[in-house]
Amino acid sequence: DAGVIQSPRHEVTEMGQEVTLRCKPISGHNSLFWYRQTMMRGLELLIYFNNNVPIDDSGMPEDRFSAKMPNASFSTLKIQPSEPRDSAVYFCASGTGLGHQPQHFGDGTRLSIL
Amino acid sequence: EDQVTQSPEALRLQEGESSSLNCSYTVSGLRGLFWYRQDPGKGPEFLFTLYSAGEEKEKERLKATLTKKESFLHITAPKPEDSATYLCAVHHNNNDMRFGAGTRLTVKP
């Protein structure tokens, strides 16, 4: 069975550029989560969707961050403009409930902003 | 303030040397506590969910337990392939999912 698929796996770009991270959740899962992981702050929940609708985006750090889920099989996390402090590993996870159920994680996108 | 604290930060064991990892939490209205394993360069992999004090779950050499204030992940006779970072996460009343910083486990042959 295909797991959560994220692309790209690695992204290196210059400060000020727009960055788009992509996620394909597991088929049949109705919840999708975006996380950011850094050494300093660990794993932080940024936003989550249920049935393609954003439920809570209180973890999104700034207005430079935005996320969309146009359909059940695709989501994007966009940073515009990017800054060096956005460098981190970004994970997408999917599940069948709003946190009560285990989440299945992708292997992440390692983002470096120069 | 809602907090999830894991200890120790790092643990080095000899193969076969059993030990326990701790996850203590101060959140209102626990709705579920999750244990995950994370290997370098990979996303967290789900291990267990615990919902109420007294509950226990087992999988191979791992056993997770839950009290009202903390959870333990017991590792019995670990093998080198058990080396990973173990994360606990708490889902609580305001629908927040909060992760601990993790325990980095190394099992030497």
Side-chain angles (χ1 to χ4, degrees), chain A:
Chain A
D1 287 343
V4 174
I5 300 172
Q6 292 187 246
S7 63
R9 288 298 317 274
H10 303 274
E11 173 94 9
V12 180
T13 191
E14 292 190 346
M15 173 178 162
Q17 297 297 307
E18 178 178 293
V19 173
T20 300
L21 311 182
R22 297 172 175 79
C23 175
K24 177 179 170 56
I26 293 172
S27 177
H29 283 187
N30 63 341
S31 292
L32 184 138
F33 307 81
W34 282 102
Y35 289 88
R36 177 171 69 176
Q37 187 173 42
T38 61
M39 289 293 292
M40 289 294 294
R41 301 175 67 89
L43 199 60
E44 301 174 282
L45 178 62
L46 301 177
I47 184 172
Y48 67 89
F49 296 82
N50 185 252
N51 293 325
N52 312 336
V53 176
I55 302 300
D56 187 350
D57 65 355
S58 59
M60 297 284 262
E62 299 172 38
D63 291 344
R64 298 183 296 106
F65 287 70
S66 63
K68 294 182 179 180
M69 191 163 186
N71 57 61
S73 59
F74 184 65
S75 177
T76 60
L77 179 68
K78 188 173 293 187
I79 308 172
Q80 167 64 17
S82 58
E83 296 183 5
R85 59 196 168 111
D86 301 331
S87 298
V89 181
Y90 290 80
F91 288 102
C92 174
S94 69
T96 56
L98 279 177
H100 282 144
Q101 303 301 321
Q103 296 173 22
H104 300 264
F105 284 75
D107 283 338
T109 294
R110 181 172 295 277
L111 177 64
S112 297
I113 308 297
L114 306 176

Side-chain angles (χ1 to χ4, degrees), chain A residues 94 100-105, chain B residues 6 21-23 32-39 43-51 55-65 71-76 81-89 97 99 102-105:
Chain A
S94 69
H100 282 144
Q101 303 301 321
Q103 296 173 22
H104 300 264
F105 284 75
Chain B
Q6 291 190 245
L21 313 182
N22 178 261
C23 172
L33 185 142
F34 302 83
W35 282 98
Y36 287 85
R37 168 193 171 125
Q38 186 174 23
D39 292 297
E45 176 189 347
F46 170 74
L47 294 173
F48 303 109
T49 308
L50 301 166
Y51 291 107
E55 191 175 357
E56 298 182 353
K57 294 274 181 72
E58 281 189 75
K59 179 180 179 181
E60 296 181 355
R61 295 177 292 282
L62 300 177
K63 178 179 176 181
T65 62
S71 176
F72 290 94
L73 184 65
H74 306 277
I75 304 177
T76 302
E81 54 262 42
D82 295 323
S83 297
T85 296
Y86 290 84
L87 299 167
C88 78
M97 189 75 160
F99 277 80
T103 293
R104 189 173 63 256
L105 174 67

